[in-house]
Amino acid sequence: MIRFEQVSKTYRGGHQALSHVDFHVQPGEMAFLTGHSGAGKSTLLKLISLMERPTAGRVLINGHDLRKIKPSQVPYVRRDIGMIFQDHRLLMDKTVFDNVALPLIIEGYSVQEARKRVVAALEKVGIADKVKHYPKMLSGGEQQRVGIARAIVTKPPLLLADEPTGNLDPKLSMEIIRLFEEFNKVGVAVLIATHDLGLIARLRYRTLTLKDGRMINDGLEDSEL
Ligand code: ADP
Ligand code: ADP
């Protein structure tokens, strides 16, 4: 699903954010990506979602070599990826329905067609009763659930989450992780970037650890950060 081969990323100005990173994530796998602030987690996710390009090495997503993707093809590759952000990036002047329907409308679904899928997505994340609410009427945990519904409404085979529990307390954080587990159980690959080591320790998942742009650990063992 995700394959990095000797991937390096140096930003303009000369800062090397990733250095010779090699790993892969299988279809249907769930893994955490961790490391201190500045270790390169966001950069790694941005290379997957085509928001940044590597300086060296090769990134393959769902069989696509991203070096060979023309700008016009970027939306097709992104269609395979559901993105979830710490600040959830909801449109605050739109209802929950409109926020979750947006990816479907962009893909050309009619509002009629979209409605069924939106309701189904909201049911999966447990907030179908909030469909007419505006995000500011929801708690932080509920807003993140809307963000997850928007990410999964197009049924992508890969979910990428960047600090999805960053603003949530431990109980709500675990509820959000349990949701990711539900999607993983039905075959969705999930990669979750987080510096919440307490959260990771309570679960047993493969953990990829970055330090200063290098992949220093890939496995279930405790990492020495
Ligand atoms: P993390 O998500 O683990 O905190 P990042 O991937 O955001 O790490 O950052 C890795 C390194 O790359 C940091 O030193 C950061 O300052 C640098 N960096 C990130 N984005 C940019 C950018 N757009 N331009 C220059 N340097 C950047
Ligand atoms: P938390 O304590 O988890 O941050 P809140 O106190 O913000 O949660 O919200 C608790 C519940 O009340 C949520 O279900 C939310 O949808 C609802 N709620 C909060 N503010 C409003 C509002 N202004 N109008 C309608 N419902 C609201």
Side-chain angles (χ1 to χ4, degrees):
M1 189 72 236
I2 305 171
R3 180 176 292 277
F4 273 51
E5 294 173 355
Q6 289 294 304
V7 173
S8 296
K9 172 66 181 178
T10 304
Y11 284 107
R12 288 176 61 168
H15 188 90
Q16 186 157 24
L18 290 177
S19 179
H20 303 286
V21 170
D22 268 311
F23 74 99
H24 64 270
V25 172
Q26 303 283 358
E29 195 177 344
M30 174 150 153
F32 284 98
L33 173 66
T34 192
H36 285 305
S37 179
K41 302 182 296 297
S42 298
T43 299
L44 190 151
L45 296 185
K46 284 178 184 166
L47 293 177
I48 298 171
S49 58
L50 283 149
M51 281 142 72
E52 293 285 354
R53 296 276 185 165
T55 321
R58 199 154 82 116
V59 179
L60 292 114
I61 301 301
N62 211 5
H64 301 285
D65 181 342
L66 298 192
R67 282 184 308 198
K68 297 184 180 145
I69 300 295
K70 298 191 196 97
S72 63
Q73 297 171 315
V74 167
Y76 295 97
V77 177
R78 287 215 182 113
R79 202 172 275 183
D80 287 342
I81 306 172
M83 292 281 296
I84 292 133
F85 306 94
Q86 171 168 4
D87 57 6
H88 36 72
R89 305 199 185 167
L90 300 177
L91 300 171
M92 299 310 269
D93 61 340
K94 301 281 184 200
T95 62
V96 166
F97 179 86
D98 288 339
N99 269 281
V100 177
L102 193 61
L104 297 172
I105 301 300
I106 289 170
E107 277 197 23
Y109 285 75
S110 68
V111 177
Q112 202 78 347
E113 291 170 314
R115 190 175 307 276
K116 266 211 308 239
R117 284 222 190 190
V118 170
V119 171
L122 290 172
E123 277 170 359
K124 281 187 198 138
V125 300
I127 50 166
D129 54 328
K130 310 285 184 191
V131 63
K132 290 180 178 160
H133 285 52
Y134 285 85
K136 68 173 185 303
M137 298 154 77
L138 304 179
S139 69
E142 289 168 337
Q143 290 181 11
Q144 192 53 285
R145 284 169 191 266
V146 179
I148 295 171
R150 182 185 55 189
I152 57 105
V153 75
T154 54
K155 303 189 176 175
L158 173 62
L159 287 181
L160 294 182
D162 196 354
E163 300 287 351
T165 63
N167 294 321
L168 303 176
D169 66 32
K171 182 170 170 287
L172 285 175
S173 296
M174 195 53 85
E175 286 176 21
I176 294 296
I177 299 300
R178 296 293 178 219
L179 272 183
F180 287 126
E181 288 181 323
E182 293 300 314
F183 295 113
N184 179 243
K185 273 184 201 148
V186 294
V188 178
V190 184
L191 183 62
I192 304 170
T194 178
H195 58 248
D196 187 348
L197 296 177
L199 183 70
I200 293 174
R202 276 179 275 148
L203 301 153
R204 284 193 62 78
Y205 283 104
R206 177 180 171 200
T207 303
L208 303 158
T209 307
L210 284 170
K211 185 180 184 182
D212 299 332
R214 291 180 182 274
M215 193 68 85
I216 59 161
N217 197 28
D218 176 355
L220 287 167
E221 305 90 74
D222 289 335
S223 52
E224 26 90 42
L225 272 176

